[in-house]
Amino acid sequence: MSDPAAPPPPPSGAPPPAGAPPPSGASSPAPAPVSGPRPPAHLSGQVLLTAKDVSLSLGGNKILDKLCFEVRDRMRPGVTTGQIVGLLGPSGVGKTRLLRLIAALDQPDAGIITGMNGSPFAAGQVGVVFQQYPVLKHRTVEQNLIVGGVANGMSHGEAKERSRILLERFRLGDRARYYPGQLSGGQRQRVAIAQQLVKPKTYLLMDEPFSGLDPQALGEVIELVMEVAHMNELNTIILVTHDIWAAMLTSDLLLLLGRERTPEGAPIPGARIRHSYDLVERGLAWRKNVDREPKFLELEREIRERFQAL
């Protein structure tokens, strides 16, 4: 996918980009007058999702304890920019449980999770793609998408037309009459994502989207996640993953979910957001080949070290 932040090439006859040497025999142009402060490359808009003091216990075991975070609209002048949040944490710490709470599939014991305008989410309002890509095995790819649309209140005709558009956009048009068992793992994942988008939803949660993929499929999924996020300014995707590198490459915000420790190093029951990283502020979002830069590699090492103590 092309880098949405990359500037277009200058038109014919335009001056060379800043920092470029002048043509041979030409003098350097005088600097342009400064008329005021440069506008920021990005802005933060309204709050799209808030988790406040969320706690959850299961079977007498505390899973989450007073967890808090928020997601704001990322705005870039002239560029439609959705939000991608990477949720990292060790196995069993409560990441999937948190996804279920955000999706209103379960309810917390205390605290609240809200969307835009401070409204709690209703069941079905948030799209969820679980790790096993639960598509209907006895239905074709197209039928799976249509079923998803009809189940969300669309007419059969509306769902069929929307499915056709999504299948083409997700490069699955030639697989419309295939059954899930005839698809590769990456193709089944694209079907599961498309199924959640037949009835457009602002929020999409993905559980381990990078798990078990070969390098080529991993790159395709990263591009697909970013494409889906940037379909709409308010789109908000939350990824649960163990893959620190993929999360850094895809996300604009990283959240590390973990438990506090006793002085002896034993985990204290009840996870919360221990660390957060704004990759936009760090200059590590929306750019190609950013994973080759020293500051990306340095941050990756820092996160890996902190991950061990979560």
Side-chain angles (χ1 to χ4, degrees):
M1 186 180 65
S2 62
D3 181 357
S12 177
S24 176
S27 59
S28 299
V34 177
S35 58
R38 294 180 62 185
H42 62 87
L43 301 168
S44 291
Q46 65 177 309
V47 175
L48 301 179
L49 188 151
T50 301
K52 184 176 181 181
D53 295 328
V54 173
S55 297
L56 176 71
S57 295
L58 295 173
N61 298 315
K62 187 177 290 186
I63 308 300
L64 304 173
D65 185 33
K66 297 181 179 178
L67 177 145
C68 298
F69 71 91
E70 72 175 21
V71 180
R72 287 184 173 271
D73 179 19
R74 304 284 196 181
M75 298 186 298
R76 288 185 290 168
V79 180
T80 300
T81 306
Q83 294 60 235
I84 305 176
V85 180
L87 181 62
L88 296 163
S91 297
V93 79
K95 301 185 301 297
T96 300
R97 287 294 172 182
L98 177 56
L99 284 197
R100 293 184 63 86
L101 295 179
I102 296 173
L105 299 175
D106 298 327
Q107 294 299 317
D109 299 324
I112 188 170
I113 299 174
T114 58
M116 287 179 281
N117 304 318
S119 303
F121 292 115
Q125 182 180 353
V126 177
V128 185
V129 179
F130 286 111
Q131 190 171 358
Q132 300 304 318
Y133 320 140
V135 293
L136 301 173
K137 297 180 180 179
H138 63 289
R139 301 269 190 168
T140 65
V141 168
E142 182 183 42
Q143 290 169 345
N144 263 280
L145 269 62
I146 293 173
V147 167
V150 171
N152 280 278
M154 301 177 75
S155 70
H156 185 277
E158 290 174 326
K160 184 171 183 179
E161 176 60 19
R162 174 71 173 167
S163 298
R164 182 190 65 78
I165 294 171
L166 288 172
L167 288 174
E168 291 298 327
R169 186 157 194 173
F170 285 8
R171 300 181 298 279
L172 291 166
D174 61 344
R175 296 293 189 268
R177 298 183 182 276
Y178 282 47
Y179 288 87
Q182 298 174 290
L183 304 177
S184 68
Q187 290 170 339
R188 284 196 300 274
Q189 185 181 49
R190 295 208 298 275
V191 172
I193 296 172
Q195 187 182 51
Q196 293 297 321
L197 299 176
V198 176
K199 176 73 171 181
K201 296 179 179 178
T202 298
Y203 302 92
L204 180 64
L205 313 178
M206 303 182 70
D207 193 6
E208 296 291 353
F210 310 126
S211 178
L213 299 176
D214 60 54
Q216 179 177 347
L218 176 59
E220 291 175 353
V221 170
I222 288 173
E223 289 189 0
L224 177 60
V225 169
M226 297 177 74
E227 179 181 349
V228 170
H230 301 322
M231 285 179 176
N232 186 283
E233 180 68 30
L234 299 181
N235 280 0
T236 302
I237 298 179
I238 299 182
L239 312 169
V240 161
T241 181
H242 292 90
D243 193 325
I244 295 172
W245 176 84
M248 290 180 63
L249 203 60
T250 311
S251 307
D252 55 78
L253 175 66
L254 293 179
L255 302 175
L256 271 59
L257 182 66
R259 292 165 287 200
E260 301 285 348
R261 300 273 174 166
T262 66
E264 295 74 28
I268 299 173
R272 62 184 65 178
I273 302 301
R274 296 285 308 281
H275 308 283
S276 65
Y277 298 91
D278 188 330
L279 300 185
V280 177
E281 294 294 340
R282 292 169 178 263
L284 295 174
W286 310 321
R287 293 168 45 220
K288 274 191 172 182
N289 302 320
V290 69
D291 57 321
R292 302 176 186 177
E293 297 186 10
K295 61 181 178 180
F296 181 101
L297 301 174
E298 181 180 343
L299 180 59
E300 184 180 10
R301 286 192 295 270
E302 176 184 324
I303 293 174
R304 291 188 185 280
E305 290 174 1
R306 285 185 163 177
F307 195 92
Q308 303 304 314
L310 293 178

